[in-house]
Amino acid sequence: MTPTGDIAADEDFRQIVDSEGRDVIRLGALLSPAAHIDSRFLRNFRMQLLPGSDAGLEARFWHSSLVGSRSLGTITLDPEIVLELGRRLFEEDPELLKRSWKCIESQHEYLPDTLRLQEALRFSSITGSPADALLARVHKTLSGLRDGAQRRSMGRWLKTTLPELPLRQQRMPQVQWLASVAAAELGDAPESVSVPQGEEGENVPVWLFPRREEETDFAYHLKLSPGVLAVVHAEEPGAVTLPMHDGIPVLLYVTWQTRSGNGSGWLQTRADQRLTLPHDCRAVELVSPDGRRFRLWAERSEKGEQTVPETSGLILLHRPDDRELADRVARLLRDRDVNVRLREEDESVPASDFTDQPVVCLWSKASAAYWDRRSSQRGDAPPGVLLRTAPDVPLPEGMGESGVFDLFDFDSPDGEGRVDRLLKRIRALLDGPRPPADRGRTIVFGESGYVVEPGTPGPEIESLLTELNDADTTPARRLEIGDRLAELGDPRPGVGVREHLVDQRSQEHPDVEVSPVSRYPADVRKLLDELADPGTEPPRRLEIGDELDRRGDPRPGVGLDGNGLPAIDWVKIPGGRFIYQDGESVKLPDSHISRFPMTNRQYQAFVDDKGYDDDRWWQDLKKPKQTKSIWQQGNRPRTNVDWYEAVAFTRWLSAQLGYEVRLPTEQEWERVARGREGRDYPWGGGYRSGFANVNEKRIETGSWDLKETTAVGMYPQGASIEGVLDLAGNVWEWCLNKVEKPEVIAPDKSGDSRVLRGGSWISSPGFARAAVRVRYYPDNRRYLVGFRVLSSAPIAGR
């Protein structure tokens, strides 16, 4: 069976299909609904559906590129590839696919219900048959789960399974309800789930949306004490009582207030459950799935009446000369229910004094002059968001547009839209996580793990990072910690906003020459500020990278050092056990990996040093003729290099630096990309639009398709747990080992396929998943393949 149509135009898909035999492709199409394949099942299935084949087909299929992940005794197929193969087989021979499905059903009767449901949904997706009855089974299964771990496991299963459905089924209300509940189980759902109206609403599962008019013998009771929100018994005083159907827990979205800001999360209302909140929490707001809101207070007056804790609202800083304008702005915000307190800048002190409340600064010419004097005298900088009052008011040196909001002409007839955008920014400031008290202090990764320095945001983050440092913390708990850190505004280097990033060398080894951001020219700092803004769209990121290249991109790890050698920005990857592929536990030693793929400028140093003419670097390697990258900007990843060239480069660089440099094995690469806990993508679970340079339009997962590489490091929001960039998208990356024999890393001229990881600019997001492994002939040179380097040797200054 040869795929045709649009899928054949996909470079990645065609490369994989062309590299496999016809019999392997046909077996993959027949197995397309299968979610779990072990060796015994594969043997029985092959003999029943392909009786003329031999056992060698099983081995070729087991190690083929159709496999998304494998463990010791099982494999799972890459759904993006095999579902398309299955659909095309169904178009050609529907009866054959139905025979295949009956065989899978009969042999998989012993599997857990979730896996059998997943297979049934896959078959429905391939054939286009109705899925209503299957979705009803999923609803019933989820509603019957009482154990929190089981529900979270079901949530992860749904998060993986539902995107495999066709778009028309994904738009069905019952699928969207399931997606929302699954996300809520994992802590990343929206604040409420829409309640359908009319006849559609009559079919809503009662357990998902308890009807407020429904009488029930069950209820859940919530009581707040300082720092703890508990599900308690009805007879306890001070508890809020809400209906529950048949004792099944209902998900509530909880927003809590503290002196230092607000936070939020999902609460599963189970008996005797206790949700730990910040120790100074005195008030919470609860939102039920149908949008009802409730408030609880922990403090009571002497008369026993509930009292609302004082909410600090917003501080509006202004110069004395700007008092009239400040009053107008304050009235504008108060009319929209924002609590504002004016404060003259003559009273102000360093920015650290404002950490108890959100701050905005009315930015006029007078204010700009005032803060310019303070900066030159004491090094102070204006806190919070700047509300610029006129277009000709200069910004503080090095500040990008992301920290500024233009407020001029806000009271003009066409200024209402600007006011609405301002209000949205202010709401985010009031509701979002609070920044560290001292922006110069942060969280860094040291020899023993994450080190929390003074001024970091809150004791809960410190506690979570302590758990991460503990080698005994289970993978499941690590996954929970990652999700919780994401809710709190993860401050670790390479994960959160740019102001939390520091160069470790400048702290631990001040004698090592570094190029801190503060020393960059103002125009470069402005570009980097824009790059750090998560709202910057991919086309602009492409432009920023090229503009940085024109200015001689000064970022560490992008160009050359003072000796004309590649300046590698090494990132330490702590050793230990991690989850590899489909749950296998693997242990690796400490290593260092380059933060970025090798750039054109860095590879050119090898070329200029006559690297192609020196036989020392080419032993047991096939040496091709020199070529160039399709895109030759110095800070873009070096493409059009085959596996042999990448290995020769690492040999040359090892000799220049005096310690081992090589390609990573795919286990080492996957540890970096997935962390210890086995993430789907470097940033966490699920693809996020705008987090990587991939073709989001291919399977309608987003709006972006740049159709070319970008400079390295243009997606800081897509960093791995240790801050390594470009592990998803931009270019596929060569790994050291062979595909069929992962233990073989030594070079030879056999032509056996080597491994590619990470996806590329032409790939759909599914190919950029961190567990996807792709075979590629070692002498192939394409415009979508590059590499990065790793060292297992100790590195000075690290």
Side-chain angles (χ1 to χ4, degrees), residues 73-89:
T74 62
I75 57 174
T76 55
L77 303 181
D78 188 308
E80 187 175 355
I81 300 173
V82 296
L83 289 180
E84 183 61 32
L85 291 175
R87 294 185 186 106
R88 296 193 176 278
L89 175 60

Side-chain angles (χ1 to χ4, degrees), residues 16 65 732 739 754-757 767 772-776:
I16 291 173
S65 299
W732 286 102
V739 175
R754 302 280 172 165
V755 176
L756 292 179
R757 289 298 198 109
F767 278 97
V772 172
R773 61 194 304 265
V774 170
R775 68 170 62 233
Y776 218 62

Side-chain angles (χ1 to χ4, degrees), residues 88-141:
R88 296 193 176 278
L89 175 60
F90 184 70
E91 292 174 3
E92 295 176 10
D93 192 343
E95 292 304 318
L96 178 58
L97 186 65
K98 290 177 182 178
R99 281 179 50 212
S100 167
W101 171 237
K102 289 181 180 179
C103 180
I104 293 172
E105 271 193 310
S106 64
Q107 292 196 45
H108 277 176
E109 290 180 342
Y110 68 92
L111 288 183
D113 190 50
T114 52
L115 280 177
R116 287 187 284 117
L117 272 172
Q118 184 176 2
E119 292 182 334
L121 285 169
R122 280 189 176 184
F123 182 72
S124 170
S125 173
I126 292 168
T127 61
S129 57
D132 299 58
L134 295 172
L135 293 171
R137 282 175 58 194
V138 177
H139 276 281
K140 182 178 180 180
T141 300

Side-chain angles (χ1 to χ4, degrees), residues 469-683:
N469 290 337
D470 186 351
D472 293 332
T473 300
T474 65
R477 176 57 182 156
R478 291 180 185 278
L479 184 59
E480 294 173 354
I481 291 171
D483 292 342
R484 181 63 182 141
L485 285 172
E487 296 171 17
L488 296 172
D490 198 328
R492 291 168 297 161
V495 180
V497 295
R498 187 173 192 87
E499 65 185 13
H500 296 304
L501 293 177
V502 295
D503 193 309
Q504 239 177 291
R505 287 172 292 182
S506 63
Q507 292 189 349
E508 299 174 4
H509 300 276
D511 55 319
V512 178
E513 183 65 27
V514 295
S515 182
V517 174
S518 61
R519 298 181 190 173
Y520 293 160
D523 54 353
V524 172
R525 291 203 301 269
K526 184 176 180 179
L527 291 172
L528 295 179
D529 285 341
E530 191 175 355
L531 194 66
D533 182 358
T536 301
E537 295 182 341
R540 177 56 183 157
R541 294 182 182 276
L542 176 65
E543 295 173 353
I544 290 172
D546 291 348
E547 181 63 26
L548 285 171
D549 185 61
R550 287 190 288 271
R551 298 175 186 275
D553 196 335
R555 294 175 296 158
V558 175
L560 305 178
D561 62 17
N563 297 318
L565 296 175
I568 311 299
D569 186 11
W570 292 112
V571 178
K572 182 175 181 179
I573 308 301
R577 293 200 170 274
F578 72 101
I579 297 175
Y580 178 64
Q581 290 290 295
D582 191 23
E584 180 184 356
S585 177
V586 174
K587 185 176 182 180
L588 291 175
D590 290 353
S591 63
H592 291 81
I593 199 166
S594 59
R595 193 178 301 276
F596 310 117
M598 293 298 96
T599 64
N600 285 319
R601 191 178 306 159
Q602 292 171 330
Y603 191 84
Q604 189 62 36
F606 167 64
V607 176
D608 293 344
D609 198 37
K610 308 298 182 183
Y612 280 83
D613 299 329
D614 194 329
D615 292 338
R616 289 180 297 170
W617 322 131
W618 296 95
Q619 284 187 331
D620 300 318
L621 301 177
K622 295 179 180 179
K623 181 167 62 176
K625 293 183 179 180
Q626 295 180 38
T627 187
K628 293 183 178 180
S629 289
I630 296 295
W631 298 281
Q632 296 183 34
Q633 289 89 337
N635 61 358
R636 291 204 189 188
R638 183 53 156 96
T639 60
N640 299 85
V641 288
D642 64 22
W643 185 86
Y644 300 116
E645 290 173 288
V647 171
F649 173 88
T650 62
R651 290 173 172 178
W652 167 82
L653 187 56
S654 297
Q656 311 309 312
L657 298 179
Y659 54 82
E660 174 215 38
V661 177
R662 57 176 171 81
L663 296 178
T665 66
E666 61 175 325
Q667 284 189 348
E668 291 167 332
W669 191 98
E670 186 170 319
R671 160 61 183 90
V672 178
R674 302 184 72 190
R676 294 185 189 277
E677 64 272 25
R679 295 177 166 201
D680 288 339
Y681 290 88
W683 53 81

Side-chain angles (χ1 to χ4, degrees), residues 13 47 105 139 177 181 232 259 262-263 280 349 446 467 477 554 600 626-627 717 739:
F13 185 90
M47 294 177 66
E105 271 193 310
H139 276 281
W177 304 331
V181 173
V232 299
R259 295 187 183 92
N262 297 339
D280 59 342
V349 293
E467 281 193 75
R477 176 57 182 156
N600 285 319
Q626 295 180 38
T627 187
Q717 68 272 37
V739 175

Side-chain angles (χ1 to χ4, degrees), residues 356-390:
D356 60 332
Q357 293 175 250
V359 180
V360 295
C361 184
L362 199 63
W363 196 248
S364 64
K365 289 185 178 179
S367 185
Y370 169 78
W371 283 102
D372 185 58
R373 291 195 304 273
R374 291 198 59 141
S375 176
S376 61
Q377 294 169 2
R378 301 170 51 182
D380 290 342
V385 175
L386 306 187
L387 302 184
R388 184 162 52 183
T389 61

